[in-house]
Structure formats: C-alpha cells, structure tokens
Amino acid sequence: MSNVPQIKLNNGVLIPAIGTGSWAPNTVEEQSKVKGWILTALQNGYRHIDTAQSYYTEPAAGQAIRESGIPREQIFVTTKLPWNHQECVAQSFEQSLKNLGLDYVDLYLLHWPQPIAHDGGDGYGLLKNADGSIKLSDKINFNQAWVEFEKILESGKARSIGVSNFSVKTLEQLLTTAKHVPVTNQVELHPYLAQEDLRKYCDQKGITLTAYTPSGYATVRADPLIVELSKKYSTTPNQITLAWHIARGTIIVPKSESVERQKQNITLPTLEATDVAKINGLDRGERLCNAPDANGMMYGWTVEQLGW
Ligand SMILES: NC(=O)c1ccc[n+]([C@@H]2O[C@H](COP(=O)([O-])OP(=O)(O)OC[C@H]3O[C@@H](n4cnc5c(N)ncnc54)[C@H](OP(=O)(O)O)[C@@H]3O)[C@@H](O)[C@H]2O)c1
C-alpha cells in the first residue's frame, strides 16, 4: 500500500491526494502503451486513476485495474463526460462504465462547462459552423447537464460528482441550481498558475481543487527557485512542485510513463511553510496546457464566458 495522504471530500468520501493521470495522444502506438504504465503506477503504490472518455484510455485503465489484482474498492477511479455529450449524459456515462468494465466510478466529472454540439457519433471532435467557429449545442447548458449528474450520483453508480475547468463565474452559475455541490473542480494549476481567487472561492464552498498539469512541465521544472529548493530537499524539481500542491491541500494527478518518475511523484518531501510561501510568489497567471487562442477563444467560448 502507498503512503499517499487521503483527502476527505465534502460528501465524506476519501480520495488519495495523488492519482495517476492517464491522458495519452490518440495514436495506436501511444494508446497501446497506456495499460502498461497505469499498471506499473498501481504496482508502485498509486490507488487513484484519473481518466476520461475523450482520452480513449478508459479501457486501458479498466484492464490495468483487473490485471493488478488489487481489490476494486481500494482504487479510486475518476472519469469525465466528453464536452460534446452534455446532451446525452446518462447514455455517455453508461458507455464509460462499459469502457472501464466497472459497475461504478468513484468520481464523475463534467469535463468542460461549454456544451459542444453532438453529432450522434462516438467521436469527441469539435463540430464546426460554416464560418469555422466551433458549433455549440443549443439544446443544453451545464446547469441542466448537472441535473443528470445528480441522478447518476443518486443511483449509486458514481460515488461522487464534480466539475473540471470551471471558474468562480461558472461555479456561481452552477450553484444557483445545484442540489449537490461538486466535490472537486479539476483545473490547470501549478506555481505559474496558482489560481488564488478560485482557491478561496472553492474553500468557502467546500470544493477541493484538483490540479491538472500539476508539474507545470519543463517550464516550471527549470524555474530557478524550484531548482534551488530541489537541492535543499535533495529531490527533483518535479517533486518540489508536487509537494507544494500537497502542502496546500490540493489533489494532484501527475502522469508519467516511467516507473522511476511514477515513484518520485508519490514520494514527496514536506516543504517548510516559508518555502511554500516562496513558491506561491511565482504565480504569473500563465496557462501552459489549455491556453486561449489569439482571439481569446477556448474551445467555442470566450475567456469571458469561461470566467478565466
Ligand atoms: N480536466 C482536464 O481538462 C485535463 C486537462 C489536462 C490533463 N488532465 C489530467 O491531468 C493529467 C496530468 O496532466 P499533464 O499530463 O498535462 O501534466 P503533468 O502530469 O504535470 O506532466 C506530464 C509530463 O511530465 C513528465 N513528467 C512526469 N513526472 C516527471 C518527473 N518526475 N520529472 C520530469 N518529468 C516528469 C511526463 O513525462 P513521462 O511520462 O515521460 O514521465 C509528461 O510529459 C493528465 O494525464 C490527465 O489525466 C486533465
């Protein structure tokens, strides 16, 4: 068993604070490797897998769970609704269970707030209008989609429900109608994008933040302060950044295909409070994974609509 700390969500469910990410490029070669590296993550102590239907990695996650021999109830499984499935949440959720080969998930996330039009097929591409803009659904909004999430929660097939890529603005809109407050909001979060306003808001509402792109990639690994602290604590720069999240009570889902880096990412130093504060000072509001385009658009919505 791993020594990863557990965090209690607002519904009382415990989640391991560190999970393995599972996004992979959608090529035959990359996808064929996924089961192998999720399996080594489980063998090396991870008990939390973050997948999504649109990553195409749900089947590999399910196979890795079964091959690991670890009892299902000891592994926390998160998956997400594709952005073009807000019109068909119940059907899409059943597809995710089928892909995973599981009869429940621990956490089901609304992957993006903006509802992309659905073409009825099983792809996750962005439908386009004649002018080249992304086609949004005119049949659904995220408040309505959340009602379907709440039905899934009440059915017991998801132990918890949450959101991803929501801002203070979109969370406020969601909470005008939500019966169940999301347990988590999974967002891009790292020392160059500390999201302090969102953190304060989520703290007040009992929503735990989950960081994606928790490392901040090579950009943050090369930051002089992160490098200096890695020498002080005799770790790698990546471990310093991940330890900073844990010190701030954030759930993280770092992804690595390498056994050595998987082990590093769950073996973290405890940072002194002064070092946490120094890393807080690196914030520069920089998105490294999902940044808006030159027109301020992000997958069909403006940054104003997203509240970014
Ligand atoms: N909700 C969303 O919209 C959303 C968006 C993006 C991502 N996610 C989730 O978040 C997960 C993680 O996000 P991410 O992949 O963007 O960020 P990340 O986990 O911070 O970075 C992954 C990259 O860092 C490398 N790496 C991992 N550990 C390392 C270490 N100890 N030292 C040096 N390099 C290391 C990995 O390479 P190797 O594999 O070669 O080690 C990989 O290239 C995804 O897999 C996915 O599950 C969610």
Side-chain angles (χ1 to χ4, degrees):
M1 285 296 291
S2 72
N3 296 317
V4 170
Q6 308 251 341
I7 290 180
K8 192 181 271 191
L9 300 170
N10 67 19
N11 59 354
V13 169
L14 291 173
I15 181 170
I18 308 175
T20 175
S22 72
W23 181 84
N26 188 25
T27 64
V28 173
E29 192 194 346
E30 292 299 327
Q31 290 284 329
S32 70
K33 293 192 276 184
V34 176
K35 186 207 70 185
W37 53 259
I38 296 181
L39 182 58
T40 60
L42 292 171
Q43 289 164 340
N44 286 292
Y46 289 75
R47 292 294 180 272
H48 168 183
I49 301 170
D50 180 77
T51 184
Q53 193 180 121
S54 59
Y55 302 166
Y56 298 95
T57 57
E58 290 175 322
Q63 284 163 22
I65 292 167
R66 285 182 288 283
E67 279 190 34
S68 74
I70 298 164
R72 164 70 186 93
E73 63 277 13
Q74 289 181 21
I75 303 173
F76 193 101
V77 179
T78 301
T79 196
K80 313 184 190 88
L81 178 85
W83 46 22
N84 60 348
H85 285 188
Q86 287 194 27
E87 293 170 16
C88 54
V89 176
Q91 190 189 334
S92 184
F93 178 71
E94 289 302 323
Q95 185 61 51
S96 282
L97 288 183
K98 199 168 157 197
N99 293 345
L100 285 156
L102 299 177
D103 53 12
Y104 72 94
V105 297
D106 297 277
L107 177 58
Y108 192 43
L109 298 182
L110 184 51
H111 205 151
W112 284 88
Q114 61 275 54
I116 309 294
H118 184 42
D119 64 2
D122 60 2
Y124 312 115
L126 298 162
L127 286 186
K128 300 278 176 66
N129 295 308
D131 66 359
S133 60
I134 289 166
K135 190 170 177 189
L136 296 166
S137 170
D138 54 8
K139 299 192 186 116
I140 189 87
N141 60 47
F142 61 69
N143 295 78
Q144 294 164 321
W146 190 248
V147 173
E148 298 303 312
F149 270 64
E150 290 173 328
K151 287 182 193 162
I152 291 169
L153 177 73
E154 287 161 10
S155 77
K157 288 184 177 179
R159 294 175 67 220
S160 314
I161 51 174
V163 295
S164 178
N165 295 298
F166 273 58
S167 61
V168 173
K169 175 177 174 169
T170 47
L171 280 171
E172 275 187 335
Q173 175 62 34
L174 182 70
L175 295 183
T176 59
T177 55
K179 269 200 302 176
H180 295 274
V181 175
V183 296
T184 191
N185 181 21
Q186 182 179 121
V187 293
E188 182 175 340
L189 189 59
H190 44 70
Y192 284 5
L193 185 69
Q195 306 244 38
E196 273 314 306
D197 291 348
L198 183 61
R199 164 174 304 283
K200 283 191 193 108
Y201 180 82
C202 286
D203 279 353
Q204 283 165 15
K205 300 292 176 190
I207 300 168
T208 306
L209 284 177
T210 300
Y212 74 72
T213 314
S215 66
Y217 303 143
T219 311
V220 172
R221 282 195 287 276
D223 183 277
L225 173 66
I226 301 293
V227 172
E228 180 195 316
L229 290 173
S230 72
K231 290 180 186 145
K232 172 175 170 180
Y233 289 91
S234 302
T235 62
T236 63
N238 220 69
Q239 286 168 296
I240 296 296
T241 299
L242 298 184
W244 169 77
H245 288 289
I246 297 300
R248 288 158 40 104
T250 304
I251 300 161
I252 53 175
V253 289
K255 169 262 167 190
S256 181
E257 302 185 15
S258 136
V259 170
E260 191 189 330
R261 291 192 286 277
Q262 287 174 344
K263 286 181 183 169
Q264 281 178 19
N265 294 349
I266 52 167
T267 314
L268 304 177
T270 302
L271 301 184
E272 292 167 19
T274 49
D275 292 329
V276 174
K278 280 187 204 164
I279 300 173
N280 290 346
L282 296 179
D283 185 22
R284 53 193 205 195
E286 185 176 357
R287 294 182 188 273
L288 298 167
C289 178
N290 280 313
D293 68 18
N295 300 317
M297 297 297 294
M298 188 74 213
Y299 304 134
W301 270 12
T302 62
V303 285
E304 285 76 21
Q305 282 174 298
L306 282 163
W308 282 13

PDB file of all heavy atoms in Angstrom, residues 87-106:
ATOM      1  N   GLU A  87     -25.613  16.699 -23.962  1.00  0.00           N
ATOM      2  CA  GLU A  87     -26.996  16.394 -24.361  1.00  0.00           C
ATOM      3  C   GLU A  87     -27.385  14.954 -24.023  1.00  0.00           C
ATOM      4  O   GLU A  87     -28.557  14.601 -24.105  1.00  0.00           O
ATOM      5  CB  GLU A  87     -27.156  16.573 -25.881  1.00  0.00           C
ATOM      6  CG  GLU A  87     -27.023  17.978 -26.362  1.00  0.00           C
ATOM      7  CD  GLU A  87     -26.950  18.047 -27.898  1.00  0.00           C
ATOM      8  OE1 GLU A  87     -27.296  17.064 -28.581  1.00  0.00           O
ATOM      9  OE2 GLU A  87     -26.518  19.094 -28.403  1.00  0.00           O
ATOM     10  N   CYS A  88     -26.410  14.123 -23.716  1.00  0.00           N
ATOM     11  CA  CYS A  88     -26.710  12.682 -23.537  1.00  0.00           C
ATOM     12  C   CYS A  88     -25.884  12.111 -22.380  1.00  0.00           C
ATOM     13  O   CYS A  88     -25.165  11.128 -22.544  1.00  0.00           O
ATOM     14  CB  CYS A  88     -26.436  11.921 -24.829  1.00  0.00           C
ATOM     15  SG  CYS A  88     -24.765  12.164 -25.496  1.00  0.00           S
ATOM     16  N   VAL A  89     -26.018  12.740 -21.208  1.00  0.00           N
ATOM     17  CA  VAL A  89     -25.174  12.380 -20.063  1.00  0.00           C
ATOM     18  C   VAL A  89     -25.380  10.913 -19.643  1.00  0.00           C
ATOM     19  O   VAL A  89     -24.406  10.164 -19.478  1.00  0.00           O
ATOM     20  CB  VAL A  89     -25.456  13.316 -18.859  1.00  0.00           C
ATOM     21  CG1 VAL A  89     -24.660  12.874 -17.636  1.00  0.00           C
ATOM     22  CG2 VAL A  89     -25.125  14.761 -19.214  1.00  0.00           C
ATOM     23  N   ALA A  90     -26.633  10.511 -19.477  1.00  0.00           N
ATOM     24  CA  ALA A  90     -26.895   9.164 -18.948  1.00  0.00           C
ATOM     25  C   ALA A  90     -26.304   8.099 -19.865  1.00  0.00           C
ATOM     26  O   ALA A  90     -25.635   7.155 -19.421  1.00  0.00           O
ATOM     27  CB  ALA A  90     -28.396   8.948 -18.779  1.00  0.00           C
ATOM     28  N   GLN A  91     -26.523   8.284 -21.159  1.00  0.00           N
ATOM     29  CA  GLN A  91     -26.035   7.317 -22.153  1.00  0.00           C
ATOM     30  C   GLN A  91     -24.504   7.303 -22.181  1.00  0.00           C
ATOM     31  O   GLN A  91     -23.869   6.249 -22.226  1.00  0.00           O
ATOM     32  CB  GLN A  91     -26.595   7.785 -23.491  1.00  0.00           C
ATOM     33  CG  GLN A  91     -26.459   6.865 -24.637  1.00  0.00           C
ATOM     34  CD  GLN A  91     -26.864   7.608 -25.936  1.00  0.00           C
ATOM     35  OE1 GLN A  91     -27.655   8.567 -25.912  1.00  0.00           O
ATOM     36  NE2 GLN A  91     -26.307   7.170 -27.037  1.00  0.00           N
ATOM     37  N   SER A  92     -23.907   8.485 -22.112  1.00  0.00           N
ATOM     38  CA  SER A  92     -22.448   8.586 -22.161  1.00  0.00           C
ATOM     39  C   SER A  92     -21.821   7.963 -20.916  1.00  0.00           C
ATOM     40  O   SER A  92     -20.783   7.291 -20.984  1.00  0.00           O
ATOM     41  CB  SER A  92     -22.039  10.054 -22.280  1.00  0.00           C
ATOM     42  OG  SER A  92     -20.650  10.169 -22.426  1.00  0.00           O
ATOM     43  N   PHE A  93     -22.464   8.182 -19.757  1.00  0.00           N
ATOM     44  CA  PHE A  93     -21.940   7.596 -18.518  1.00  0.00           C
ATOM     45  C   PHE A  93     -21.947   6.071 -18.606  1.00  0.00           C
ATOM     46  O   PHE A  93     -20.970   5.408 -18.219  1.00  0.00           O
ATOM     47  CB  PHE A  93     -22.772   8.078 -17.318  1.00  0.00           C
ATOM     48  CG  PHE A  93     -22.321   7.474 -16.020  1.00  0.00           C
ATOM     49  CD1 PHE A  93     -21.116   7.861 -15.446  1.00  0.00           C
ATOM     50  CD2 PHE A  93     -23.073   6.501 -15.384  1.00  0.00           C
ATOM     51  CE1 PHE A  93     -20.671   7.289 -14.258  1.00  0.00           C
ATOM     52  CE2 PHE A  93     -22.644   5.925 -14.194  1.00  0.00           C
ATOM     53  CZ  PHE A  93     -21.441   6.317 -13.634  1.00  0.00           C
ATOM     54  N   GLU A  94     -23.038   5.503 -19.134  1.00  0.00           N
ATOM     55  CA  GLU A  94     -23.104   4.033 -19.275  1.00  0.00           C
ATOM     56  C   GLU A  94     -21.990   3.547 -20.198  1.00  0.00           C
ATOM     57  O   GLU A  94     -21.388   2.494 -19.973  1.00  0.00           O
ATOM     58  CB  GLU A  94     -24.473   3.597 -19.810  1.00  0.00           C
ATOM     59  CG  GLU A  94     -25.610   3.744 -18.812  1.00  0.00           C
ATOM     60  CD  GLU A  94     -25.410   2.967 -17.507  1.00  0.00           C
ATOM     61  OE1 GLU A  94     -24.859   1.840 -17.547  1.00  0.00           O
ATOM     62  OE2 GLU A  94     -25.793   3.493 -16.441  1.00  0.00           O
ATOM     63  N   GLN A  95     -21.685   4.339 -21.235  1.00  0.00           N
ATOM     64  CA  GLN A  95     -20.596   3.972 -22.146  1.00  0.00           C
ATOM     65  C   GLN A  95     -19.255   3.969 -21.403  1.00  0.00           C
ATOM     66  O   GLN A  95     -18.415   3.080 -21.596  1.00  0.00           O
ATOM     67  CB  GLN A  95     -20.545   4.943 -23.334  1.00  0.00           C
ATOM     68  CG  GLN A  95     -19.519   4.574 -24.394  1.00  0.00           C
ATOM     69  CD  GLN A  95     -19.782   3.203 -25.024  1.00  0.00           C
ATOM     70  OE1 GLN A  95     -20.903   2.935 -25.457  1.00  0.00           O
ATOM     71  NE2 GLN A  95     -18.776   2.332 -25.041  1.00  0.00           N
ATOM     72  N   SER A  96     -19.070   4.951 -20.526  1.00  0.00           N
ATOM     73  CA  SER A  96     -17.818   4.995 -19.748  1.00  0.00           C
ATOM     74  C   SER A  96     -17.692   3.761 -18.858  1.00  0.00           C
ATOM     75  O   SER A  96     -16.614   3.159 -18.762  1.00  0.00           O
ATOM     76  CB  SER A  96     -17.760   6.266 -18.884  1.00  0.00           C
ATOM     77  OG  SER A  96     -17.415   7.368 -19.689  1.00  0.00           O
ATOM     78  N   LEU A  97     -18.800   3.381 -18.187  1.00  0.00           N
ATOM     79  CA  LEU A  97     -18.748   2.178 -17.330  1.00  0.00           C
ATOM     80  C   LEU A  97     -18.386   0.955 -18.169  1.00  0.00           C
ATOM     81  O   LEU A  97     -17.574   0.114 -17.765  1.00  0.00           O
ATOM     82  CB  LEU A  97     -20.099   1.944 -16.641  1.00  0.00           C
ATOM     83  CG  LEU A  97     -20.499   2.893 -15.515  1.00  0.00           C
ATOM     84  CD1 LEU A  97     -21.839   2.457 -14.921  1.00  0.00           C
ATOM     85  CD2 LEU A  97     -19.449   2.974 -14.414  1.00  0.00           C
ATOM     86  N   LYS A  98     -18.973   0.887 -19.360  1.00  0.00           N
ATOM     87  CA  LYS A  98     -18.705  -0.245 -20.256  1.00  0.00           C
ATOM     88  C   LYS A  98     -17.232  -0.243 -20.677  1.00  0.00           C
ATOM     89  O   LYS A  98     -16.560  -1.279 -20.666  1.00  0.00           O
ATOM     90  CB  LYS A  98     -19.612  -0.117 -21.480  1.00  0.00           C
ATOM     91  CG  LYS A  98     -19.785  -1.384 -22.258  1.00  0.00           C
ATOM     92  CD  LYS A  98     -20.923  -1.198 -23.236  1.00  0.00           C
ATOM     93  CE  LYS A  98     -20.745  -2.193 -24.382  1.00  0.00           C
ATOM     94  NZ  LYS A  98     -21.526  -1.838 -25.545  1.00  0.00           N
ATOM     95  N   ASN A  99     -16.730   0.944 -21.056  1.00  0.00           N
ATOM     96  CA  ASN A  99     -15.321   1.035 -21.464  1.00  0.00           C
ATOM     97  C   ASN A  99     -14.393   0.587 -20.344  1.00  0.00           C
ATOM     98  O   ASN A  99     -13.389  -0.084 -20.568  1.00  0.00           O
ATOM     99  CB  ASN A  99     -14.960   2.489 -21.833  1.00  0.00           C
ATOM    100  CG  ASN A  99     -15.665   2.981 -23.073  1.00  0.00           C
ATOM    101  OD1 ASN A  99     -16.208   2.194 -23.837  1.00  0.00           O
ATOM    102  ND2 ASN A  99     -15.666   4.290 -23.275  1.00  0.00           N
ATOM    103  N   LEU A 100     -14.729   1.019 -19.117  1.00  0.00           N
ATOM    104  CA  LEU A 100     -13.890   0.690 -17.956  1.00  0.00           C
ATOM    105  C   LEU A 100     -14.071  -0.766 -17.524  1.00  0.00           C
ATOM    106  O   LEU A 100     -13.190  -1.334 -16.859  1.00  0.00           O
ATOM    107  CB  LEU A 100     -14.251   1.602 -16.776  1.00  0.00           C
ATOM    108  CG  LEU A 100     -13.755   3.041 -16.848  1.00  0.00           C
ATOM    109  CD1 LEU A 100     -14.620   3.958 -15.980  1.00  0.00           C
ATOM    110  CD2 LEU A 100     -12.290   3.125 -16.410  1.00  0.00           C
ATOM    111  N   GLY A 101     -15.238  -1.345 -17.849  1.00  0.00           N
ATOM    112  CA  GLY A 101     -15.550  -2.687 -17.355  1.00  0.00           C
ATOM    113  C   GLY A 101     -15.843  -2.656 -15.861  1.00  0.00           C
ATOM    114  O   GLY A 101     -15.559  -3.609 -15.136  1.00  0.00           O
ATOM    115  N   LEU A 102     -16.417  -1.556 -15.398  1.00  0.00           N
ATOM    116  CA  LEU A 102     -16.730  -1.390 -13.970  1.00  0.00           C
ATOM    117  C   LEU A 102     -18.223  -1.160 -13.805  1.00  0.00           C
ATOM    118  O   LEU A 102     -18.903  -0.741 -14.742  1.00  0.00           O
ATOM    119  CB  LEU A 102     -15.977  -0.179 -13.397  1.00  0.00           C
ATOM    120  CG  LEU A 102     -14.450  -0.228 -13.452  1.00  0.00           C
ATOM    121  CD1 LEU A 102     -13.869   1.079 -12.900  1.00  0.00           C
ATOM    122  CD2 LEU A 102     -13.886  -1.426 -12.694  1.00  0.00           C
ATOM    123  N   ASP A 103     -18.726  -1.404 -12.577  1.00  0.00           N
ATOM    124  CA  ASP A 103     -20.146  -1.122 -12.365  1.00  0.00           C
ATOM    125  C   ASP A 103     -20.373   0.172 -11.594  1.00  0.00           C
ATOM    126  O   ASP A 103     -21.519   0.559 -11.366  1.00  0.00           O
ATOM    127  CB  ASP A 103     -20.888  -2.311 -11.731  1.00  0.00           C
ATOM    128  CG  ASP A 103     -20.223  -2.807 -10.475  1.00  0.00           C
ATOM    129  OD1 ASP A 103     -19.325  -2.113  -9.968  1.00  0.00           O
ATOM    130  OD2 ASP A 103     -20.611  -3.894  -9.994  1.00  0.00           O
ATOM    131  N   TYR A 104     -19.293   0.839 -11.180  1.00  0.00           N
ATOM    132  CA  TYR A 104     -19.428   2.187 -10.613  1.00  0.00           C
ATOM    133  C   TYR A 104     -18.094   2.909 -10.766  1.00  0.00           C
ATOM    134  O   TYR A 104     -17.049   2.269 -10.956  1.00  0.00           O
ATOM    135  CB  TYR A 104     -19.838   2.148  -9.121  1.00  0.00           C
ATOM    136  CG  TYR A 104     -18.723   1.692  -8.187  1.00  0.00           C
ATOM    137  CD1 TYR A 104     -17.891   2.615  -7.549  1.00  0.00           C
ATOM    138  CD2 TYR A 104     -18.481   0.331  -7.967  1.00  0.00           C
ATOM    139  CE1 TYR A 104     -16.863   2.201  -6.708  1.00  0.00           C
ATOM    140  CE2 TYR A 104     -17.451  -0.086  -7.136  1.00  0.00           C
ATOM    141  CZ  TYR A 104     -16.647   0.849  -6.507  1.00  0.00           C
ATOM    142  OH  TYR A 104     -15.633   0.436  -5.692  1.00  0.00           O
ATOM    143  N   VAL A 105     -18.132   4.241 -10.685  1.00  0.00           N
ATOM    144  CA  VAL A 105     -16.891   5.017 -10.584  1.00  0.00           C
ATOM    145  C   VAL A 105     -16.931   5.767  -9.255  1.00  0.00           C
ATOM    146  O   VAL A 105     -17.987   5.952  -8.650  1.00  0.00           O
ATOM    147  CB  VAL A 105     -16.684   6.008 -11.755  1.00  0.00           C
ATOM    148  CG1 VAL A 105     -16.545   5.269 -13.078  1.00  0.00           C
ATOM    149  CG2 VAL A 105     -17.796   7.044 -11.820  1.00  0.00           C
ATOM    150  N   ASP A 106     -15.768   6.190  -8.814  1.00  0.00           N
ATOM    151  CA  ASP A 106     -15.681   6.929  -7.555  1.00  0.00           C
ATOM    152  C   ASP A 106     -15.969   8.408  -7.755  1.00  0.00           C
ATOM    153  O   ASP A 106     -16.435   9.074  -6.837  1.00  0.00           O
ATOM    154  CB  ASP A 106     -14.291   6.709  -6.947  1.00  0.00           C
ATOM    155  CG  ASP A 106     -14.105   5.242  -6.614  1.00  0.00           C
ATOM    156  OD1 ASP A 106     -14.559   4.816  -5.537  1.00  0.00           O
ATOM    157  OD2 ASP A 106     -13.593   4.487  -7.476  1.00  0.00           O
TER     158      ASP A 106
END
